[in-house]
Amino acid sequence: MGTYAMTGGATGIGAAVKEQLREAGHEVIVVDVKDADILADLATPEGRRTAIDAIRERAPEGLEGFIPCAGVGPSVSPPSKITRINYFGTVELVEALEPLVARKRGCMVLLSSNSAPMGSDARYVDACLAGDEEAATARADEIGDGQNAYGGSKLAVTRWMRRHSTAYAKDGVRMNAVAPGITRTPLTEHVMADEKLGAAIRSFGESVPTGQIGVPRQLANVITFLLSPAADFMCGSVVFVDGGHDAMLRPDDF
Ligand SMILES: NC(=O)c1ccc[n+]([C@@H]2O[C@H](COP(=O)([O-])OP(=O)(O)OC[C@H]3O[C@@H](n4cnc5c(N)ncnc54)[C@H](O)[C@@H]3O)[C@@H](O)[C@H]2O)c1
């Protein structure tokens, strides 16, 4: 059985991934701000460093996989906090842990979103991809729109994954992303309760082509599949798991 590390395993999609992996007999090292093996705030460079050091210490022989699930939604303020957690809290850990995953010829599954292609500020996305946390967070707050910060952070994570999947594959690491649609988790409940964004997200939830919003298990099913040998020819893929919303909104964008 393997050893996996993940972030954001306390609730929602991450908790479902953690449960499925543990049920299959794997060891799962969880980083989160609560209910975790390693308590660390991925919004800060110190928290990221704590997480990386503690994972290295717990899995010196390597990791079968790493799944950075930690994230916050568009209702979080200031918008720069979304950038710090969703983009820099993902990419910094992925880069630091790649050698550990390569040692076991393992897999990574990153969390995109079906809001990634919905339009965000190009300067913001480019600053993320340039690794310039100061410029990216300043731009996020200058625009002052959580939806832009959120969608842009997920677009940047996805582009980052696509740009690095070839080099990672040469090291033996298969890296893919899942792009969830609206899924019932504490993140979504937070957005639904938001004064500005609540009405729009509720009506978005009513328009899912398959009829209802997702549940964490449906996302975990696909994430654990991507981690498994059954997906051993999948690399650099972005898999939309959204009840058909992306196809509905962008039918010809392919
Ligand atoms: N729920 C959705 O509709 C949806 C849609 C698209 C993408 N996603 C993505 O899926 C991932 C999981 O989200 P979820 O919906 O399960 O949300 P969630 O709120 O249930 O889970 C997020 C987890 O991240 C942790 N976390 C938050 N801030 C952190 C920080 N600073 N440091 C460490 N851990 C932190 C939380 O404690 C929690 O355990 C996120 O990356 C999210 O952007 C979710």
Tab-separated table of all heavy atoms in Angstrom, residues 7-15 30-35 38-44 68-74 81 84-86 90 110-115 150 153-154 178-190 201 213-214 216 219 223 241, ligand 1:
chain	number	residue	atom	x	y	z
A	7	THR	N	-3.237	18.236	0.845
A	7	THR	CA	-3.627	19.405	1.631
A	7	THR	C	-5.146	19.518	1.574
A	7	THR	O	-5.790	18.979	0.662
A	7	THR	CB	-2.988	20.699	1.089
A	7	THR	OG1	-3.563	21.010	-0.202
A	7	THR	CG2	-1.476	20.577	0.949
A	8	GLY	N	-5.705	20.219	2.563
A	8	GLY	CA	-7.150	20.444	2.547
A	8	GLY	C	-7.960	19.180	2.765
A	8	GLY	O	-9.037	19.033	2.196
A	9	GLY	N	-7.463	18.285	3.616
A	9	GLY	CA	-8.171	17.019	3.834
A	9	GLY	C	-9.196	17.077	4.962
A	9	GLY	O	-9.823	16.067	5.267
A	10	ALA	N	-9.367	18.238	5.578
A	10	ALA	CA	-10.277	18.302	6.742
A	10	ALA	C	-11.738	18.229	6.333
A	10	ALA	O	-12.542	17.590	7.012
A	10	ALA	CB	-10.011	19.573	7.552
A	11	THR	N	-12.105	18.895	5.245
A	11	THR	CA	-13.525	18.920	4.853
A	11	THR	C	-13.671	18.771	3.330
A	11	THR	O	-12.688	18.797	2.589
A	11	THR	CB	-14.211	20.256	5.270
A	11	THR	OG1	-13.599	21.327	4.548
A	11	THR	CG2	-14.110	20.510	6.763
A	12	GLY	N	-14.905	18.644	2.907
A	12	GLY	CA	-15.248	18.725	1.484
A	12	GLY	C	-14.609	17.654	0.617
A	12	GLY	O	-14.509	16.479	0.996
A	13	ILE	N	-14.170	18.075	-0.553
A	13	ILE	CA	-13.620	17.153	-1.553
A	13	ILE	C	-12.372	16.453	-1.004
A	13	ILE	O	-12.198	15.241	-1.153
A	13	ILE	CB	-13.300	17.924	-2.858
A	13	ILE	CG1	-14.597	18.488	-3.471
A	13	ILE	CG2	-12.562	17.033	-3.852
A	13	ILE	CD1	-14.380	19.516	-4.573
A	14	GLY	N	-11.514	17.219	-0.339
A	14	GLY	CA	-10.278	16.650	0.224
A	14	GLY	C	-10.588	15.564	1.247
A	14	GLY	O	-9.934	14.511	1.259
A	15	ALA	N	-11.582	15.792	2.095
A	15	ALA	CA	-11.934	14.786	3.109
A	15	ALA	C	-12.417	13.506	2.432
A	15	ALA	O	-12.102	12.396	2.882
A	15	ALA	CB	-12.999	15.343	4.049
A	30	VAL	N	-2.084	14.344	5.995
A	30	VAL	CA	-2.957	15.479	5.694
A	30	VAL	C	-2.411	16.784	6.281
A	30	VAL	O	-2.081	16.854	7.459
A	30	VAL	CB	-4.374	15.236	6.254
A	30	VAL	CG1	-5.277	16.442	6.013
A	30	VAL	CG2	-4.991	13.993	5.633
A	31	VAL	N	-2.349	17.787	5.420
A	31	VAL	CA	-1.994	19.154	5.839
A	31	VAL	C	-3.270	19.986	5.793
A	31	VAL	O	-4.000	19.956	4.803
A	31	VAL	CB	-0.973	19.793	4.862
A	31	VAL	CG1	-0.713	21.252	5.231
A	31	VAL	CG2	0.310	18.993	4.808
A	32	ASP	N	-3.519	20.733	6.839
A	32	ASP	CA	-4.705	21.617	6.838
A	32	ASP	C	-4.539	22.613	7.986
A	32	ASP	O	-3.632	22.468	8.821
A	32	ASP	CB	-5.999	20.784	7.021
A	32	ASP	CG	-7.228	21.467	6.411
A	32	ASP	OD1	-7.563	22.586	6.854
A	32	ASP	OD2	-7.827	20.896	5.498
A	33	VAL	N	-5.453	23.570	8.049
A	33	VAL	CA	-5.436	24.498	9.197
A	33	VAL	C	-6.178	23.895	10.392
A	33	VAL	O	-6.147	24.448	11.485
A	33	VAL	CB	-6.062	25.882	8.858
A	33	VAL	CG1	-5.093	26.757	8.108
A	33	VAL	CG2	-7.370	25.722	8.089
A	34	LYS	N	-6.869	22.770	10.173
A	34	LYS	CA	-7.599	22.108	11.266
A	34	LYS	C	-7.694	20.616	10.966
A	34	LYS	O	-7.524	20.204	9.805
A	34	LYS	CB	-9.004	22.708	11.397
A	34	LYS	CG	-9.816	22.548	10.120
A	34	LYS	CD	-11.134	23.259	10.149
A	34	LYS	CE	-11.867	22.966	8.859
A	34	LYS	NZ	-12.704	24.019	8.377
A	35	ASP	N	-7.941	19.814	12.010
A	35	ASP	CA	-8.166	18.364	11.858
A	35	ASP	C	-7.179	17.713	10.895
A	35	ASP	O	-7.591	17.076	9.914
A	35	ASP	CB	-9.589	18.099	11.329
A	35	ASP	CG	-10.645	18.660	12.260
A	35	ASP	OD1	-10.355	18.766	13.463
A	35	ASP	OD2	-11.738	19.014	11.775
A	38	ILE	N	-0.687	17.498	9.955
A	38	ILE	CA	0.247	18.643	9.973
A	38	ILE	C	-0.585	19.916	9.905
A	38	ILE	O	-1.290	20.155	8.916
A	38	ILE	CB	1.192	18.567	8.751
A	38	ILE	CG1	2.000	17.264	8.776
A	38	ILE	CG2	2.112	19.793	8.713
A	38	ILE	CD1	2.617	16.892	7.433
A	39	LEU	N	-0.517	20.710	10.951
A	39	LEU	CA	-1.273	21.968	10.957
A	39	LEU	C	-0.404	23.051	10.338
A	39	LEU	O	0.712	23.316	10.807
A	39	LEU	CB	-1.659	22.353	12.385
A	39	LEU	CG	-2.704	21.443	13.030
A	39	LEU	CD1	-2.911	21.807	14.502
A	39	LEU	CD2	-4.038	21.483	12.274
A	40	ALA	N	-0.874	23.646	9.262
A	40	ALA	CA	-0.093	24.690	8.582
A	40	ALA	C	-1.038	25.587	7.798
A	40	ALA	O	-1.997	25.106	7.189
A	40	ALA	CB	0.927	24.050	7.633
A	41	ASP	N	-0.744	26.874	7.816
A	41	ASP	CA	-1.539	27.838	7.055
A	41	ASP	C	-0.837	28.091	5.720
A	41	ASP	O	0.200	28.751	5.661
A	41	ASP	CB	-1.669	29.138	7.856
A	41	ASP	CG	-2.468	30.190	7.099
A	41	ASP	OD1	-2.920	29.900	5.969
A	41	ASP	OD2	-2.627	31.296	7.641
A	42	LEU	N	-1.429	27.564	4.655
A	42	LEU	CA	-0.784	27.646	3.330
A	42	LEU	C	-0.887	29.033	2.705
A	42	LEU	O	-0.354	29.256	1.619
A	42	LEU	CB	-1.369	26.583	2.400
A	42	LEU	CG	-1.167	25.142	2.897
A	42	LEU	CD1	-1.922	24.162	2.016
A	42	LEU	CD2	0.321	24.788	2.931
A	43	ALA	N	-1.526	29.955	3.413
A	43	ALA	CA	-1.556	31.339	2.922
A	43	ALA	C	-0.197	32.012	3.124
A	43	ALA	O	0.079	33.044	2.505
A	43	ALA	CB	-2.638	32.133	3.656
A	44	THR	N	0.630	31.435	3.988
A	44	THR	CA	1.906	32.106	4.312
A	44	THR	C	3.104	31.258	3.881
A	44	THR	O	3.040	30.019	3.907
A	44	THR	CB	2.033	32.334	5.840
A	44	THR	OG1	2.183	31.051	6.478
A	44	THR	CG2	0.796	33.036	6.403
A	68	PRO	N	-2.987	18.407	-3.800
A	68	PRO	CA	-3.196	19.693	-3.120
A	68	PRO	C	-4.644	20.165	-3.277
A	68	PRO	O	-4.988	20.807	-4.260
A	68	PRO	CB	-2.205	20.625	-3.835
A	68	PRO	CG	-1.993	20.014	-5.180
A	68	PRO	CD	-2.357	18.559	-5.116
A	69	CYS	N	-5.479	19.830	-2.286
A	69	CYS	CA	-6.920	20.153	-2.357
A	69	CYS	C	-7.264	21.463	-1.652
A	69	CYS	O	-8.356	21.989	-1.850
A	69	CYS	CB	-7.745	19.059	-1.686
A	69	CYS	SG	-7.929	17.583	-2.664
A	70	ALA	N	-6.380	21.948	-0.775
A	70	ALA	CA	-6.733	23.138	0.021
A	70	ALA	C	-7.076	24.301	-0.897
A	70	ALA	O	-6.404	24.546	-1.899
A	70	ALA	CB	-5.583	23.518	0.942
A	71	GLY	N	-8.144	24.985	-0.556
A	71	GLY	CA	-8.536	26.139	-1.352
A	71	GLY	C	-9.638	26.893	-0.652
A	71	GLY	O	-10.301	26.357	0.246
A	72	VAL	N	-9.809	28.136	-1.050
A	72	VAL	CA	-10.920	28.947	-0.535
A	72	VAL	C	-11.679	29.513	-1.725
A	72	VAL	O	-11.142	29.618	-2.830
A	72	VAL	CB	-10.429	30.081	0.399
A	72	VAL	CG1	-9.919	29.516	1.728
A	72	VAL	CG2	-9.369	30.942	-0.274
A	73	GLY	N	-12.926	29.886	-1.490
A	73	GLY	CA	-13.806	30.321	-2.570
A	73	GLY	C	-13.805	31.820	-2.786
A	73	GLY	O	-13.134	32.567	-2.063
A	74	PRO	N	-14.592	32.270	-3.775
A	74	PRO	CA	-14.587	33.674	-4.181
A	74	PRO	C	-15.156	34.649	-3.153
A	74	PRO	O	-14.997	35.857	-3.308
A	74	PRO	CB	-15.447	33.676	-5.453
A	74	PRO	CG	-16.229	32.415	-5.405
A	74	PRO	CD	-15.426	31.423	-4.636
A	81	LYS	N	-5.976	36.847	-0.436
A	81	LYS	CA	-5.911	35.624	0.374
A	81	LYS	C	-6.238	34.398	-0.494
A	81	LYS	O	-5.655	33.326	-0.335
A	81	LYS	CB	-6.901	35.736	1.545
A	81	LYS	CG	-6.725	34.662	2.559
A	81	LYS	CD	-7.466	34.921	3.840
A	81	LYS	CE	-7.253	33.736	4.786
A	81	LYS	NZ	-8.208	33.691	5.858
A	84	ARG	N	-3.117	33.631	-2.484
A	84	ARG	CA	-2.044	33.027	-1.665
A	84	ARG	C	-2.314	31.550	-1.413
A	84	ARG	O	-1.413	30.720	-1.512
A	84	ARG	CB	-1.944	33.755	-0.312
A	84	ARG	CG	-1.406	35.157	-0.410
A	84	ARG	CD	-1.143	35.743	0.980
A	84	ARG	NE	-0.970	37.187	0.923
A	84	ARG	CZ	0.112	37.814	0.489
A	84	ARG	NH1	1.149	37.099	0.086
A	84	ARG	NH2	0.178	39.124	0.463
A	85	ILE	N	-3.564	31.216	-1.076
A	85	ILE	CA	-3.869	29.814	-0.739
A	85	ILE	C	-4.008	28.975	-2.014
A	85	ILE	O	-3.366	27.939	-2.165
A	85	ILE	CB	-5.163	29.729	0.105
A	85	ILE	CG1	-4.983	30.500	1.414
A	85	ILE	CG2	-5.548	28.273	0.369
A	85	ILE	CD1	-6.263	30.721	2.199
A	86	ASN	N	-4.844	29.460	-2.949
A	86	ASN	CA	-5.203	28.606	-4.090
A	86	ASN	C	-4.062	28.440	-5.089
A	86	ASN	O	-3.878	27.355	-5.638
A	86	ASN	CB	-6.404	29.199	-4.837
A	86	ASN	CG	-7.686	29.128	-4.029
A	86	ASN	OD1	-7.674	28.806	-2.850
A	86	ASN	ND2	-8.787	29.447	-4.661
A	90	THR	N	-0.586	25.979	-3.544
A	90	THR	CA	-0.576	24.745	-4.346
A	90	THR	C	0.781	24.556	-5.013
A	90	THR	O	1.478	23.563	-4.805
A	90	THR	CB	-1.679	24.801	-5.438
A	90	THR	OG1	-2.957	24.802	-4.801
A	90	THR	CG2	-1.592	23.624	-6.383
A	110	LEU	N	-4.074	18.004	-9.320
A	110	LEU	CA	-4.281	19.372	-8.850
A	110	LEU	C	-5.768	19.734	-8.967
A	110	LEU	O	-6.485	19.150	-9.784
A	110	LEU	CB	-3.427	20.353	-9.672
A	110	LEU	CG	-1.961	20.515	-9.217
A	110	LEU	CD1	-1.218	19.205	-9.109
A	110	LEU	CD2	-1.215	21.454	-10.169
A	111	LEU	N	-6.197	20.716	-8.170
A	111	LEU	CA	-7.603	21.129	-8.190
A	111	LEU	C	-7.759	22.406	-8.997
A	111	LEU	O	-7.348	23.482	-8.564
A	111	LEU	CB	-8.108	21.324	-6.754
A	111	LEU	CG	-8.706	20.095	-6.045
A	111	LEU	CD1	-10.035	19.688	-6.663
A	111	LEU	CD2	-7.777	18.894	-6.054
A	112	SER	N	-8.347	22.240	-10.178
A	112	SER	CA	-8.730	23.387	-10.986
A	112	SER	C	-10.175	23.725	-10.615
A	112	SER	O	-10.625	23.481	-9.492
A	112	SER	CB	-8.584	23.033	-12.471
A	112	SER	OG	-9.006	24.080	-13.289
A	113	SER	N	-10.933	24.244	-11.550
A	113	SER	CA	-12.353	24.546	-11.333
A	113	SER	C	-12.977	24.802	-12.693
A	113	SER	O	-12.282	25.248	-13.623
A	113	SER	CB	-12.491	25.810	-10.486
A	113	SER	OG	-13.824	26.285	-10.531
A	114	ASN	N	-14.293	24.571	-12.803
A	114	ASN	CA	-14.894	24.937	-14.095
A	114	ASN	C	-15.046	26.453	-14.210
A	114	ASN	O	-15.424	26.951	-15.260
A	114	ASN	CB	-16.191	24.156	-14.383
A	114	ASN	CG	-17.349	24.585	-13.521
A	114	ASN	OD1	-17.188	25.357	-12.580
A	114	ASN	ND2	-18.530	24.072	-13.819
A	115	SER	N	-14.681	27.198	-13.151
A	115	SER	CA	-14.654	28.662	-13.315
A	115	SER	C	-13.322	29.142	-13.899
A	115	SER	O	-13.197	30.325	-14.248
A	115	SER	CB	-14.991	29.404	-12.020
A	115	SER	OG	-14.463	28.798	-10.914
A	150	TYR	N	-10.475	34.191	-7.702
A	150	TYR	CA	-10.700	32.747	-7.634
A	150	TYR	C	-10.503	32.082	-9.007
A	150	TYR	O	-9.685	31.176	-9.161
A	150	TYR	CB	-12.110	32.454	-7.106
A	150	TYR	CG	-12.356	30.974	-6.963
A	150	TYR	CD1	-11.838	30.267	-5.876
A	150	TYR	CD2	-13.072	30.264	-7.928
A	150	TYR	CE1	-12.035	28.898	-5.756
A	150	TYR	CE2	-13.268	28.896	-7.805
A	150	TYR	CZ	-12.752	28.220	-6.722
A	150	TYR	OH	-12.930	26.854	-6.601
A	153	SER	N	-6.956	32.289	-10.145
A	153	SER	CA	-6.032	31.388	-9.428
A	153	SER	C	-6.150	29.973	-10.000
A	153	SER	O	-5.138	29.269	-10.141
A	153	SER	CB	-6.323	31.392	-7.918
A	153	SER	OG	-7.525	30.691	-7.609
A	154	LYS	N	-7.360	29.582	-10.360
A	154	LYS	CA	-7.563	28.230	-10.888
A	154	LYS	C	-7.079	28.114	-12.344
A	154	LYS	O	-6.573	27.073	-12.759
A	154	LYS	CB	-9.045	27.851	-10.778
A	154	LYS	CG	-9.524	27.730	-9.330
A	154	LYS	CD	-8.782	26.622	-8.603
A	154	LYS	CE	-9.257	26.428	-7.190
A	154	LYS	NZ	-8.540	25.332	-6.500
A	178	VAL	N	-8.217	18.024	-11.913
A	178	VAL	CA	-9.669	17.860	-11.956
A	178	VAL	C	-10.266	19.251	-11.855
A	178	VAL	O	-9.809	20.079	-11.069
A	178	VAL	CB	-10.125	16.955	-10.784
A	178	VAL	CG1	-11.596	17.159	-10.488
A	178	VAL	CG2	-9.864	15.503	-11.111
A	179	ALA	N	-11.271	19.516	-12.683
A	179	ALA	CA	-11.965	20.807	-12.624
A	179	ALA	C	-13.389	20.564	-12.129
A	179	ALA	O	-14.275	20.235	-12.923
A	179	ALA	CB	-11.975	21.468	-14.009
A	180	PRO	N	-13.592	20.703	-10.814
A	180	PRO	CA	-14.938	20.454	-10.294
A	180	PRO	C	-15.892	21.568	-10.694
A	180	PRO	O	-15.500	22.723	-10.860
A	180	PRO	CB	-14.759	20.477	-8.761
A	180	PRO	CG	-13.284	20.446	-8.512
A	180	PRO	CD	-12.641	21.031	-9.740
A	181	GLY	N	-17.158	21.180	-10.827
A	181	GLY	CA	-18.213	22.178	-10.914
A	181	GLY	C	-18.767	22.379	-9.523
A	181	GLY	O	-18.194	21.901	-8.532
A	182	ILE	N	-19.893	23.049	-9.439
A	182	ILE	CA	-20.460	23.374	-8.127
A	182	ILE	C	-20.753	22.096	-7.337
A	182	ILE	O	-21.473	21.215	-7.794
A	182	ILE	CB	-21.683	24.301	-8.275
A	182	ILE	CG1	-22.231	24.664	-6.899
A	182	ILE	CG2	-22.748	23.729	-9.190
A	182	ILE	CD1	-23.219	25.811	-6.937
A	183	THR	N	-20.128	22.003	-6.155
A	183	THR	CA	-20.163	20.796	-5.327
A	183	THR	C	-20.515	21.209	-3.899
A	183	THR	O	-20.016	22.234	-3.424
A	183	THR	CB	-18.766	20.129	-5.341
A	183	THR	OG1	-18.382	19.904	-6.707
A	183	THR	CG2	-18.748	18.809	-4.599
A	184	ARG	N	-21.364	20.422	-3.245
A	184	ARG	CA	-21.815	20.810	-1.901
A	184	ARG	C	-20.718	20.576	-0.864
A	184	ARG	O	-20.445	19.446	-0.481
A	184	ARG	CB	-23.083	20.028	-1.519
A	184	ARG	CG	-23.760	20.595	-0.287
A	184	ARG	CD	-25.160	20.040	-0.098
A	184	ARG	NE	-26.107	20.355	-1.164
A	184	ARG	CZ	-26.670	21.557	-1.365
A	184	ARG	NH1	-26.375	22.562	-0.577
A	184	ARG	NH2	-27.524	21.738	-2.349
A	185	THR	N	-20.061	21.648	-0.439
A	185	THR	CA	-18.983	21.589	0.560
A	185	THR	C	-19.073	22.873	1.402
A	185	THR	O	-19.788	23.817	1.020
A	185	THR	CB	-17.587	21.568	-0.119
A	185	THR	OG1	-17.374	22.845	-0.736
A	185	THR	CG2	-17.442	20.476	-1.147
A	186	PRO	N	-18.301	22.958	2.493
A	186	PRO	CA	-18.292	24.205	3.270
A	186	PRO	C	-17.910	25.420	2.415
A	186	PRO	O	-18.445	26.520	2.620
A	186	PRO	CB	-17.240	23.921	4.353
A	186	PRO	CG	-17.310	22.435	4.546
A	186	PRO	CD	-17.567	21.867	3.170
A	187	LEU	N	-17.021	25.228	1.438
A	187	LEU	CA	-16.636	26.355	0.556
A	187	LEU	C	-17.878	26.906	-0.162
A	187	LEU	O	-18.125	28.114	-0.179
A	187	LEU	CB	-15.589	25.859	-0.447
A	187	LEU	CG	-14.988	26.839	-1.467
A	187	LEU	CD1	-13.590	26.376	-1.896
A	187	LEU	CD2	-15.855	27.017	-2.695
A	188	THR	N	-18.669	26.008	-0.736
A	188	THR	CA	-19.856	26.432	-1.492
A	188	THR	C	-20.913	27.027	-0.563
A	188	THR	O	-21.574	28.013	-0.911
A	188	THR	CB	-20.454	25.232	-2.252
A	188	THR	OG1	-19.392	24.595	-2.949
A	188	THR	CG2	-21.486	25.652	-3.251
A	189	GLU	N	-21.058	26.433	0.632
A	189	GLU	CA	-22.041	26.973	1.591
A	189	GLU	C	-21.685	28.426	1.918
A	189	GLU	O	-22.548	29.286	2.042
A	189	GLU	CB	-22.055	26.147	2.900
A	189	GLU	CG	-22.332	24.657	2.735
A	189	GLU	CD	-23.754	24.331	2.285
A	189	GLU	OE1	-24.620	25.210	2.360
A	189	GLU	OE2	-23.983	23.194	1.820
A	190	HIS	N	-20.389	28.680	2.041
A	190	HIS	CA	-19.887	30.023	2.347
A	190	HIS	C	-20.271	30.994	1.229
A	190	HIS	O	-20.725	32.100	1.478
A	190	HIS	CB	-18.359	29.928	2.489
A	190	HIS	CG	-17.735	31.036	3.261
A	190	HIS	ND1	-17.106	32.101	2.653
A	190	HIS	CD2	-17.646	31.257	4.585
A	190	HIS	CE1	-16.655	32.928	3.585
A	190	HIS	NE2	-16.966	32.446	4.766
A	201	ILE	N	-24.751	32.171	-7.339
A	201	ILE	CA	-24.280	30.775	-7.221
A	201	ILE	C	-25.466	29.825	-7.034
A	201	ILE	O	-25.463	28.711	-7.553
A	201	ILE	CB	-23.221	30.608	-6.088
A	201	ILE	CG1	-22.564	29.214	-6.111
A	201	ILE	CG2	-23.773	30.818	-4.711
A	201	ILE	CD1	-21.270	29.202	-6.825
A	213	ILE	N	-26.433	19.728	-7.993
A	213	ILE	CA	-25.031	20.049	-7.731
A	213	ILE	C	-24.324	18.798	-7.201
A	213	ILE	O	-24.965	17.864	-6.730
A	213	ILE	CB	-24.868	21.273	-6.798
A	213	ILE	CG1	-25.187	20.954	-5.351
A	213	ILE	CG2	-25.702	22.440	-7.272
A	213	ILE	CD1	-24.819	22.133	-4.435
A	214	GLY	N	-23.001	18.801	-7.331
A	214	GLY	CA	-22.231	17.603	-7.000
A	214	GLY	C	-22.058	17.399	-5.499
A	214	GLY	O	-22.358	18.282	-4.690
A	216	PRO	N	-19.006	15.681	-2.662
A	216	PRO	CA	-17.563	15.399	-2.659
A	216	PRO	C	-17.180	14.017	-3.168
A	216	PRO	O	-16.183	13.858	-3.870
A	216	PRO	CB	-17.194	15.584	-1.181
A	216	PRO	CG	-18.158	16.625	-0.691
A	216	PRO	CD	-19.448	16.326	-1.401
A	219	LEU	N	-16.384	13.771	-6.837
A	219	LEU	CA	-15.067	14.318	-7.220
A	219	LEU	C	-13.960	13.367	-6.802
A	219	LEU	O	-13.022	13.101	-7.562
A	219	LEU	CB	-14.864	15.695	-6.566
A	219	LEU	CG	-15.447	16.881	-7.311
A	219	LEU	CD1	-14.846	16.985	-8.699
A	219	LEU	CD2	-16.952	16.838	-7.426
A	223	ILE	N	-10.731	11.679	-8.768
A	223	ILE	CA	-9.356	11.963	-8.303
A	223	ILE	C	-8.629	10.647	-7.983
A	223	ILE	O	-7.477	10.450	-8.389
A	223	ILE	CB	-9.385	12.914	-7.087
A	223	ILE	CG1	-9.886	14.297	-7.534
A	223	ILE	CG2	-8.007	13.011	-6.431
A	223	ILE	CD1	-10.189	15.271	-6.411
A	241	VAL	N	-15.420	17.721	-13.976
A	241	VAL	CA	-16.368	16.852	-13.260
A	241	VAL	C	-17.428	17.800	-12.722
A	241	VAL	O	-17.362	18.288	-11.594
A	241	VAL	CB	-15.652	16.086	-12.125
A	241	VAL	CG1	-16.614	15.092	-11.464
A	241	VAL	CG2	-14.416	15.360	-12.644
B	1	LIG	N1	-16.881	23.028	-3.933
B	1	LIG	C1	-16.860	23.455	-5.180
B	1	LIG	O1	-17.915	23.769	-5.755
B	1	LIG	C2	-15.556	23.562	-5.923
B	1	LIG	C3	-15.608	23.862	-7.296
B	1	LIG	C4	-14.418	23.975	-7.998
B	1	LIG	C5	-13.215	23.775	-7.364
B	1	LIG	N2	-13.197	23.465	-6.020
B	1	LIG	C6	-11.869	23.298	-5.393
B	1	LIG	O2	-11.809	22.088	-4.687
B	1	LIG	C7	-10.890	22.226	-3.587
B	1	LIG	C8	-11.557	21.729	-2.322
B	1	LIG	O3	-12.615	22.616	-2.007
B	1	LIG	P1	-13.931	22.193	-1.200
B	1	LIG	O4	-15.075	22.669	-1.981
B	1	LIG	O5	-13.844	20.773	-0.802
B	1	LIG	O6	-13.816	23.184	0.037
B	1	LIG	P2	-13.698	22.952	1.611
B	1	LIG	O7	-13.803	24.302	2.216
B	1	LIG	O8	-14.615	21.883	2.084
B	1	LIG	O9	-12.221	22.390	1.749
B	1	LIG	C9	-11.074	23.174	1.652
B	1	LIG	C10	-10.063	22.678	2.660
B	1	LIG	O10	-8.921	23.545	2.577
B	1	LIG	C11	-8.543	23.903	3.889
B	1	LIG	N3	-7.889	25.210	3.884
B	1	LIG	C12	-8.461	26.412	3.625
B	1	LIG	N4	-7.561	27.405	3.779
B	1	LIG	C13	-6.396	26.811	4.119
B	1	LIG	C14	-5.105	27.302	4.430
B	1	LIG	N5	-4.838	28.622	4.457
B	1	LIG	N6	-4.126	26.420	4.740
B	1	LIG	C15	-4.399	25.071	4.770
B	1	LIG	N7	-5.598	24.557	4.503
B	1	LIG	C16	-6.594	25.405	4.189
B	1	LIG	C17	-9.866	23.936	4.672
B	1	LIG	O11	-9.655	23.873	6.079
B	1	LIG	C18	-10.588	22.729	4.120
B	1	LIG	O12	-10.248	21.547	4.785
B	1	LIG	C19	-10.502	23.699	-3.554
B	1	LIG	O13	-9.241	23.862	-4.177
B	1	LIG	C20	-11.583	24.369	-4.363
B	1	LIG	O14	-11.166	25.577	-4.945
B	1	LIG	C21	-14.330	23.359	-5.298
